[in-house]
Amino acid sequence: MRIAIAPSPLQLIDDAWLRDMGMQLYLKRDDLLNPTVQGNKWRKLKYNLLRAQELGKDTLLTFGGPYSNHIYATAAAARLFGFNSIGIIRGEEPKDKSYTLKFAASQGMQLVYIDRTTYRNKDDENYLHQLQLQYPNAYIVPEGGTNQYALRGVAELVQEIDVPFNYLCSACGTGGTLAGMVAGLKGEKQLIGFSSLKGDDALTEQIDKLVQGYAGESYKNYSVNFGYHFGGYAKVKPELTDFIKAFKKQHNVQLEPVYTGKMLFGIYDLLKQGYFPKGSTIIAVHTGGLQGLSGYKDWFPDVASEFVE
Ligand SMILES: *Cc1c(COP(=O)(O)O)cnc(C)c1O
């Protein structure tokens, strides 16, 4: 099995306002890596797929909620690379499956619903041991795909950047993606993660632990910003949807409201506040997630029609 990931394009955001401020903003278009296994989920799965093969496993088993981009990506990647897949889904089986779950099922993923209390054990050693006994041929990938193999895949992203820069920004869920970039940059430059969830220092500690585990070192050149979650995961506000619409109109780049929209809203807001020194070059990673837009009609019925074609 060979998995080649071609470097994703780096796109300069041409904006008079940015030029006047002497700033350069680039988008690292990981959303263009693969149409179904998008963005950071693809990078995070790469070495997990190779590891699963090395261990002789024929099944990928992972965890997620009914709207999880990771579930979507794992189902698609399993299908592409000839694995079976099992998705342990948080909560009761819904009467109407979300777009994500329908897609996962269409890729042959076996969906197993577990109650929210049991789901909280998803990282518990004993629970995972039980699952492994139940599914001996399964390679278990944690929620969000975040583990050491994920960091290795994401770390490759920073090698692809061929312009000088000062800041590297990413949206943050579990923090695995930011951790991979921190590991890849080895203490160079500044990194900012924009949390999509109401979070706290526990996320920063988790990122530090991941980086430590992978690189054997701790770096201090990153921070997680909790100022732009808009009320929490999958919560939106009109100013966010307006921003996403305006960004698309001006730059012809589609963002989504869960991760990349919040990150870019945050970057623009920090720019307005003068957070970045004049002359800075900022690279924002478009981590993808656009396949999720098709599901937003049932997820955000009030606002989806405003920014999804
Ligand atoms: C999952 C996801 C993230 C968050 O990645 P983590 O590694 O969990 O922090 C960011 N952007 C998009 C589009 C995602 O799907």
Side-chain angles (χ1 to χ4, degrees), residues 40-41 44 69 144 146 171-178 256 259-260 287-289:
N40 65 336
K41 298 301 185 288
K44 290 170 88 172
N69 289 339
T146 292
C172 264
T174 63
T177 301
L178 188 67
E256 45 71 56
Y259 294 106
T260 53
T287 39

Side-chain angles (χ1 to χ4, degrees), residues 76-97:
R79 173 72 171 255
L80 272 174
F81 291 95
F83 291 95
N84 302 318
S85 62
I86 300 169
I88 309 282
I89 309 300
R90 187 186 62 232
E92 274 170 36
E93 178 165 5
K95 273 201 214 77
D96 292 314
K97 274 202 194 74

Side-chain angles (χ1 to χ4, degrees), residues 17-290:
W17 177 70
L18 290 167
R19 241 179 291 132
D20 288 348
M21 283 197 298
M23 302 288 185
Q24 291 192 86
L25 174 64
Y26 288 91
L27 272 189
K28 177 80 173 140
R29 297 290 307 271
D30 267 20
D31 56 313
L32 302 177
L33 283 177
N34 184 296
T36 43
V37 198
Q38 278 203 3
N40 65 336
K41 298 301 185 288
W42 190 202
R43 293 196 189 267
K44 290 170 88 172
L45 278 170
K46 174 179 170 182
Y47 288 103
N48 277 297
L49 292 167
L50 291 167
R51 181 68 181 152
Q53 192 200 36
E54 200 174 279
L55 295 172
K57 305 286 188 183
D58 65 12
T59 301
L60 303 178
L61 182 151
T62 195
F63 307 86
Y67 300 99
S68 160
N69 289 339
H70 169 64
I71 287 288
Y72 190 104
T74 305
R79 173 72 171 255
L80 272 174
F81 291 95
F83 291 95
N84 302 318
S85 62
I86 300 169
I88 309 282
I89 309 300
R90 187 186 62 232
E92 274 170 36
E93 178 165 5
K95 273 201 214 77
D96 292 314
K97 274 202 194 74
S98 67
Y99 170 84
T100 300
L101 293 182
K102 276 189 205 140
F103 173 83
S106 80
Q107 300 297 293
M109 182 177 259
Q110 180 193 342
L111 302 174
V112 179
Y113 297 90
I114 61 171
D115 65 85
R116 285 162 187 275
T117 313
T118 314
Y119 188 88
R120 281 192 211 112
N121 295 327
K122 63 189 161 33
D123 299 316
D124 179 76
E125 229 171 275
N126 289 327
Y127 176 70
L128 293 174
H129 183 67
Q130 286 307 317
L131 266 183
Q132 192 69 81
L133 291 177
Q134 199 180 343
Y135 303 104
N137 294 326
Y139 175 81
I140 300 179
V141 184
E143 184 184 56
T146 292
N147 61 10
Q148 298 304 314
Y149 296 99
L151 265 66
R152 184 169 165 199
V154 175
E156 292 180 343
L157 178 156
V158 305
Q159 311 303 329
E160 296 174 8
I161 302 173
D162 55 4
V163 300
F165 67 98
N166 308 98
Y167 293 91
L168 184 59
C169 300
S170 173
C172 264
T174 63
T177 301
L178 188 67
M181 293 179 194
V182 171
L185 282 173
K186 300 189 173 84
E188 304 268 313
K189 325 282 185 191
Q190 287 295 319
L191 299 102
I192 309 174
F194 290 86
S195 181
S196 293
L197 297 84
K198 273 188 206 169
D200 51 35
D201 291 345
L203 180 60
T204 319
E205 278 161 31
Q206 170 66 9
I207 292 170
D208 195 53
K209 218 165 106 188
L210 284 164
V211 175
Q212 279 267 10
Y214 176 79
E217 259 186 84
S218 187
Y219 299 110
K220 294 278 165 267
N221 59 327
Y222 73 92
S223 59
V224 181
N225 186 311
F226 292 99
Y228 302 99
H229 57 62
F230 288 88
Y233 186 70
K235 295 277 188 341
V236 293
K237 292 203 171 131
E239 49 181 334
L240 177 63
T241 49
D242 287 348
F243 175 81
I244 291 171
K245 277 191 285 184
F247 197 84
K248 168 130 192 229
K249 200 162 164 211
Q250 196 178 353
H251 303 294
N252 200 25
V253 176
Q254 179 76 62
L255 305 170
E256 45 71 56
V258 181
Y259 294 106
T260 53
K262 290 179 181 178
M263 168 191 66
L264 271 159
F265 186 99
I267 291 172
Y268 270 68
D269 199 51
L270 292 180
L271 278 161
K272 276 181 219 155
Q273 292 173 22
Y275 174 92
F276 300 102
K278 198 174 162 66
S280 294
T281 298
I282 303 158
I283 295 181
V285 182
H286 191 321
T287 39
L290 297 177

